[in-house]
Amino acid sequence: MNYNHPKRNTSTLGIRLMCAIVFCVFSFSFLYRFQADVLAVAQHVLSNGLTKYKPFLGALVITLVLQGLQLLIYSLIRLQKRFHALTYLPSMLILGFLTDVNSDIDLQFSIGHWYWVFPLVIVIWLGIALLAKQLQEIEPDNEPLHLLSRPMWISLLLMALLIICTVSISNTNAVFHYRMRAESRLLEGDYAGALEPGKKSLESDENLQMIRMFALNMTGQLGEKLFNYPTPGKSDAILPAEGKSRFAMYPTDSLYKALGAKPKAGMTVAKYLELMQRRDSVDDKKIADYLLCGLLLDKRLDEFASKLKTLYSDNDTLIIDNLPKHYREAMTLYTHKRSNPILVYYNSVMDEDWSNLQELESKYSDKRERKGKVEEKYRGTYWYYYEYE
C-alpha cells in the first residue's frame, strides 16, 4: 500500500497562518500587558541595574525571535495540518522559561528546576513530533482545511493547550506583579501611578505596603488613604531600614533622599523617625506622617494621641477639622475608648459615624457575621483596621 502523497502541501497555508497569528498575538500581549514588569526586574537584577527593559520593544523582539524559531523548526520537521501546532512547543517553552521569574529574584536569582525540565520536555516533544510525522503520512489528502474544518480546530485546540501551559509556568504571583509595576512607576517619578497596581485587590505584603506608603507620603495622602489599602505590615516595615521590607528595583537611597537623610546601619525605623523629627532641615510633615501612621499600624493609640498633640496642637483640646481622615478616625476612637484621654477630639460627623458603627455591631452577636457586615461598610477606615485586623 502506498502512503506517499506528493500533493500534501498544497492546502496547509491556512492552518500555518492561523497558528502564527494566534502565537504572535498571544506572545506580544502576554509579554507587553502582563509580564512587562516581571521582565523589567529580571533585566534590572541580571544587569546590576545597568540596563533598562523597554516593554514594547522587548515584547516585539522576543515574539519575532520565537516566531523565527518556529519557522526554523517547521522547515526541519515539516509537521502540517492537525499536527502543525506542535512546532510551537519549543517557542512556548522558552516563553514560559523567560517569564518564570522567582519572586525573590532581587535576593537570589534561580532557574529552579529548569536545568533538567527543559531538556526533558524537549526530548519528549521530539518523540511526539516523530510519531506525529509518521501519522501525518497516512492522513487523507482530500480532507477540507477551511476555518471550520477538523484539522483547523485540532490545531487551534493544541495552541490553546500550549498557551495554558505557558501561562501556568510563568510567574503569576499577583502581589509580585503589583510590586514590580508600582516600582516601575516610582522609577518614572509617577507617585500617583505607583498607587494604582492592585488598588482594588485585598492581597498585599510588607514590601508593597512600604511602596504604597512612600507614594502616599510623597503625594501628601498618607494620613488620608493608608487604610484604603491592605496593611499586613507593622511600623518596623514602613521603611526598608530593618530589613522587614525592601525594594527590588527602586533605589533605597532615593527614598531616604526624599525624607532628608539616610539612617545609620542597624538603626530601627522608630529611632530613625524620632531623630529625623528633631531636625530642622527635613520636611516635618513627611516625617510626622510616617511617625503617626506607624503608631496607628501598631494600634498604639495613647502614643498616637500624645504625638498628635505635640505635632498638631498647642492646647489640651484638639478641635482641628482638617486633620487627615485616619487621624480623625483614630482620635474619635481614642476619645470614646479612654475614660481620661490626654487629648479630646470633637467632630460631629465623625461622632455620628462612630455611633452608626456601634449600632451596626450591636445587631450581630456572631463574630464572623459581625465582621462581615462591618467590612461591607467600614473597610478602608482605621476603625475597621483597629478592631478586626
Side-chain angles (χ1 to χ4, degrees):
M1 186 177 293
N2 182 16
Y3 293 119
N4 294 321
H5 303 283
K7 297 181 180 180
R8 180 175 301 282
N9 299 329
T10 59
S11 55
T12 61
L13 182 60
I15 290 179
R16 292 170 55 193
L17 183 60
M18 183 62 72
C19 288
I21 291 173
V22 169
F23 174 78
C24 290
V25 170
F26 163 71
S27 176
F28 182 84
S29 302
F30 182 61
L31 293 169
Y32 182 66
R33 302 293 301 176
F34 186 61
Q35 296 287 358
D37 298 299
V38 170
L39 292 175
V41 69
Q43 181 162 326
H44 176 86
V45 171
L46 295 177
S47 70
N48 292 317
L50 297 178
T51 61
K52 183 179 179 180
Y53 179 75
K54 303 292 185 181
F56 182 86
L57 182 61
L60 182 62
V61 169
I62 293 173
T63 298
L64 292 177
V65 169
L66 293 180
Q67 181 60 52
L69 174 63
Q70 183 275 331
L71 292 174
L72 176 62
I73 291 171
Y74 172 74
S75 68
L76 295 174
I77 62 177
R78 309 298 293 184
L79 282 177
Q80 302 176 41
K81 292 189 177 181
R82 69 192 69 198
F83 301 116
H84 180 71
L86 291 175
T87 61
Y88 282 90
L89 188 143
S91 296
M92 290 287 197
L93 188 63
I94 293 173
L95 188 59
F97 169 72
L98 291 176
T99 53
D100 183 26
V101 177
N102 52 300
S103 297
D104 60 348
I105 186 174
D106 55 311
L107 298 178
Q108 181 180 8
F109 172 71
S110 171
I111 63 171
H113 300 292
W114 280 103
Y115 67 93
W116 64 267
V117 170
F118 195 97
L120 176 63
V121 172
I122 292 299
V123 168
I124 294 174
W125 167 77
L126 282 173
I128 295 174
L130 291 175
L131 176 61
K133 181 71 172 177
Q134 296 299 315
L135 293 175
Q136 180 177 278
E137 297 301 321
I138 60 175
E139 282 190 288
D141 280 339
N142 58 354
E143 192 170 10
L145 295 176
H146 52 78
L147 185 60
L148 299 180
S149 66
R150 185 179 179 184
M152 178 72 77
W153 280 104
I154 290 177
S155 292
L156 291 179
L157 286 174
L158 283 174
M159 290 296 292
L161 180 62
L162 290 175
I163 288 172
I164 292 172
C165 292
T166 301
V167 173
S168 66
I169 288 171
S170 68
N171 187 318
T172 55
N173 185 306
V175 174
F176 183 64
H177 279 260
Y178 300 153
R179 283 178 54 205
M180 296 308 101
R181 202 166 304 149
E183 286 196 42
S184 295
R185 303 303 179 271
L186 289 183
L187 288 169
E188 298 169 0
D190 182 8
Y191 300 111
L195 296 169
E196 291 301 315
K199 187 176 182 178
K200 297 181 180 180
S201 174
L202 297 181
E203 295 182 86
S204 185
D205 63 8
E206 290 85 351
N207 303 304
L208 182 56
Q209 178 185 315
M210 181 266 293
I211 293 168
R212 286 170 170 165
M213 289 186 70
F214 176 54
L216 286 169
N217 205 341
M218 294 301 291
T219 56
Q221 302 178 90
L222 186 55
E224 189 73 26
K225 296 185 177 181
L226 171 59
F227 295 100
N228 289 2
Y229 299 90
T231 49
K234 301 302 180 183
S235 63
D236 56 358
I238 64 178
L239 293 173
E242 296 187 50
K244 299 292 181 66
S245 58
R246 68 186 191 279
F247 290 115
M249 293 187 290
Y250 189 74
T252 302
D253 288 348
S254 295
L255 179 148
Y256 290 125
K257 183 179 179 180
L259 295 183
K262 185 177 180 179
K264 293 182 179 179
M267 183 177 290
T268 65
V269 172
K271 183 65 175 177
Y272 168 74
L273 292 174
E274 286 289 348
L275 291 175
M276 292 295 292
Q277 199 267 324
R278 299 174 191 170
R279 294 181 53 167
D280 297 329
S281 59
V282 300
D283 188 329
D284 290 337
K285 188 176 187 308
K286 285 187 173 65
I287 299 300
D289 282 340
Y290 265 122
L291 274 167
L292 293 170
C293 287
L295 293 170
L296 291 183
L297 287 169
D298 292 343
K299 302 182 180 180
R300 292 149 63 184
L301 279 180
D302 294 288
E303 293 178 60
F304 172 81
S306 177
K307 185 63 67 175
L308 191 70
K309 181 179 179 180
T310 301
L311 296 174
Y312 279 83
S313 177
D314 294 328
N315 305 312
D316 290 336
T317 301
L318 191 66
I319 56 174
I320 304 174
D321 288 330
N322 62 346
L323 284 172
K325 173 191 171 186
H326 297 316
Y327 299 172
R328 299 197 306 271
E329 293 168 344
M331 285 309 302
T332 301
L333 176 66
Y334 171 77
T335 300
H336 284 85
K337 281 189 171 291
R338 299 294 186 267
S339 58
N340 188 27
I342 62 172
L343 194 63
V344 179
Y345 177 72
Y346 295 110
N347 184 299
S348 59
V349 175
M350 281 287 145
D351 285 340
E352 183 178 355
D353 285 345
W354 172 260
S355 297
N356 292 337
L357 171 60
Q358 302 310 300
E359 183 179 348
L360 178 63
E361 289 181 318
S362 66
K363 293 179 180 179
Y364 305 95
S365 57
D366 182 77
K367 291 183 179 179
R368 293 181 62 182
E369 185 179 10
R370 182 167 62 247
K371 179 181 178 181
K373 295 298 182 180
V374 172
E375 183 177 11
E376 289 178 8
K377 189 172 182 180
Y378 289 94
R379 172 170 281 281
T381 67
Y382 183 67
W383 299 334
Y384 178 82
Y385 173 83
Y386 187 87
E387 295 291 349
Y388 297 99
E389 291 189 356

